[in-house]
Amino acid sequence: MKRYSSRFFFFILLILLCSCNYSIQPSIDNSPTTSSSSADSSLLPITLPSNAYILNFCDDDILFCQQTNDEDSMSQTLYHYRISTKKTTQLCEFSLPNMCGELSVLNKNTLYLLDGNNILMIDISSGASSILAQLDSKSCYSSIALSTNNLILHSILENSEGLTYLIEAIHLPDGARHTITRSHYKDGIGTAISCITTENDDIYTYEVIISPLSTKYQIVSYNVDGTCIAHYSLDMTDFIPETNTIAQDSVVSIQKRNNCYILSTINSRAKIFAQNSNILQSLSIPNALFCDFPGNYHTLPQDDSSFPYIYLTPNSNDLPIFCVNTNDLSISEIHISRLPSANSTTWYRSTKSSLLFQPTSSEEINDNDSPFFIFDAS
């Protein structure tokens, strides 16, 4: 789904500038005691095309897309699937941006979707759509998130002055727009905002501050009006050690719930921080989440913003799912007793404790049927 252009690799190269030449070593006694459960695989099959790409999953609604024609990989058709009625409705056609992070967000009955250089606002019941806003013509990367009454747009703009990282708020539903924060990078100096997340009205940015002498990491929180609430310095020395050359890993997503921050890297590793007053402290987590390089775990997007549990799903079928309780910061293991026969499993999204996944190959499923399932992790 994502088009990895040379601009994207330049973006990844930028946020890797902090280190290299290291091997990941387990921290001493870094695995907490975790509870473990074994779930009987009472899986709910979902009838979707086998080549469907899942965009959003919320309660009874699944939004997915398919490539419209074989000649143009950027041309997509959007569909709405209702689980209770097993009905699929075609909504509209759209074009993928050159490079994007989070392509769409669902807010009750309205989907906000990146469409080429536009942001669409789509009623998933009627299929009616309109343009909410346009992307900057210099944007080489875009990603969206949802706050209480605003859509948050994260853009990277490329120009003769280097790269500009821009965070904007777009008021819903009228589209009024203002800047929350921006930063710049050029010639090895500057601040890169590699990912963002939201919680209620607040916006959180993960930032890498790069200079010839050092690299520093921080999470910054803002009100939607752009007021900076707090800066939190991050100790990443055991996760991305600082050296003089390019790093082998970089943080590309952040999730925030309550006092818990979960960072995920391009190499499927995770680091979790807990907020204690005005500082963020690294949380002791199972070694499996960060020691292997490349790693084995992906932080599953949670489409219910009020749900306190975040799931980290494995790349391999013989590994457990980890569930982070952001209320008490405990971590539990979930073992699925029977998965459909497959070489591997692609985990897409979660809504509350329902996890949507697809076996990549399955001997138990007819080729004409869809290998998608919902697993209840409660």
Side-chain angles (χ1 to χ4, degrees):
M1 277 296 300
K2 295 180 181 178
R3 180 182 174 186
Y4 292 96
S5 65
S6 59
R7 288 176 173 177
F8 167 68
F9 288 109
F10 180 70
F11 164 64
I12 292 299
L13 184 64
L14 172 61
I15 58 177
L16 287 174
L17 284 173
C18 50
S19 63
C20 194
N21 299 329
Y22 68 88
S23 59
I24 304 300
Q25 299 295 333
S27 298
I28 297 176
D29 193 27
N30 200 52
S31 294
T33 301
T34 60
S35 60
S36 179
S37 64
S38 180
D40 184 15
S41 295
S42 52
L43 304 176
L44 174 65
I46 298 296
T47 306
L48 300 176
S50 59
N51 63 344
Y53 184 85
I54 307 300
L55 296 178
N56 298 90
F57 171 37
C58 190
D59 298 328
D60 198 33
D61 301 305
I62 296 175
L63 280 301
F64 70 92
C65 61
Q66 290 178 282
Q67 187 171 322
T68 303
N69 60 70
D70 294 336
E71 289 74 29
D72 183 5
S73 62
M74 307 298 282
S75 177
Q76 301 286 319
T77 302
L78 175 68
Y79 297 90
H80 172 216
Y81 177 82
R82 183 143 283 165
I83 299 171
S84 58
T85 62
K86 300 182 180 180
K87 180 182 178 181
T88 299
T89 304
Q90 180 176 327
L91 296 178
C92 65
E93 294 186 3
F94 69 98
S95 296
L96 295 174
N98 282 335
M99 186 57 210
C100 62
E102 196 71 14
L103 183 64
S104 62
V105 292
L106 183 62
N107 183 21
K108 297 180 181 178
N109 211 44
T110 303
L111 181 75
Y112 300 94
L113 174 70
L114 295 176
D115 171 30
N117 292 322
N118 298 316
I119 302 176
L120 294 184
M121 183 168 56
I122 303 168
D123 186 313
I124 64 172
S125 293
S126 68
S129 65
S130 60
I131 296 175
L132 174 69
Q134 291 185 321
L135 304 181
D136 192 292
S137 61
K138 298 177 182 177
S139 176
C140 61
Y141 171 91
S142 302
S143 185
I144 54 178
L146 191 67
S147 69
T148 303
N149 295 307
N150 292 270
L151 192 69
I152 308 302
L153 174 63
H154 174 204
S155 304
I156 302 177
L157 313 180
E158 184 180 18
N159 52 52
S160 60
E161 298 301 314
L163 296 178
T164 297
Y165 296 80
L166 178 63
I167 313 299
E168 298 175 277
I170 303 172
H171 189 262
L172 302 175
D174 57 67
R177 189 168 179 168
H178 66 269
T179 297
I180 295 173
T181 187
R182 68 172 66 216
S183 66
H184 304 277
Y185 171 88
K186 185 179 181 182
D187 298 333
I189 299 175
T191 298
I193 303 176
S194 63
C195 49
I196 68 167
T197 192
T198 59
E199 187 177 44
N200 300 320
D201 278 330
D202 297 333
I203 298 95
Y204 299 84
T205 61
Y206 171 81
E207 304 183 359
V208 184
I209 305 169
I210 303 164
S211 72
L213 299 179
S214 66
T215 300
K216 298 179 181 179
Y217 306 88
Q218 64 181 15
I219 292 173
V220 184
S221 62
Y222 299 89
N223 287 332
V224 74
D225 63 4
T227 301
C228 180
I229 302 171
H231 288 78
Y232 303 104
S233 297
L234 303 178
D235 182 0
M236 303 286 276
T237 53
D238 64 337
F239 194 59
I240 307 179
E242 183 177 342
T243 65
N244 295 323
T245 52
I246 297 173
Q248 295 178 2
D249 208 358
S250 61
V251 172
V252 291
S253 75
I254 175 175
Q255 291 202 44
K256 161 78 164 63
R257 288 288 190 284
N258 300 316
N259 290 323
C260 181
Y261 300 75
I262 303 177
L263 306 180
S264 300
T265 76
I266 196 171
N267 281 301
S268 303
R269 300 167 58 236
K271 188 172 180 66
I272 303 177
F273 288 91
Q275 185 171 342
N276 182 4
S277 187
N278 293 323
I279 63 173
L280 297 186
Q281 297 176 325
S282 181
L283 188 68
S284 181
I285 62 176
N287 286 341
L289 292 177
F290 75 97
C291 281
D292 290 339
F293 189 87
N296 292 302
Y297 279 88
H298 167 65
T299 305
L300 203 62
Q302 173 57 254
D303 280 325
D304 187 316
S305 60
S306 64
F307 192 67
Y309 298 95
I310 301 294
Y311 299 95
L312 293 98
T313 51
N315 298 335
S316 173
N317 288 346
D318 58 354
L319 295 174
I321 298 169
F322 286 102
C323 175
V324 180
N325 183 335
T326 63
N327 285 328
D328 62 13
L329 301 178
S330 63
I331 301 175
S332 58
E333 294 182 13
I334 301 172
H335 297 264
I336 304 179
S337 59
R338 185 182 64 85
L339 276 170
S341 177
N343 294 333
S344 61
T345 298
T346 299
W347 297 89
Y348 282 99
R349 308 186 75 87
S350 58
T351 177
K352 298 185 174 67
S353 61
S354 296
L355 281 57
L356 181 60
F357 72 92
Q358 179 187 30
T360 56
S361 64
S362 176
E363 300 171 358
E364 298 179 7
I365 301 170
N366 185 283
D367 289 339
N368 295 322
D369 295 331
S370 163
F372 285 83
F373 295 88
I374 293 175
F375 167 64
D376 186 357
S378 61

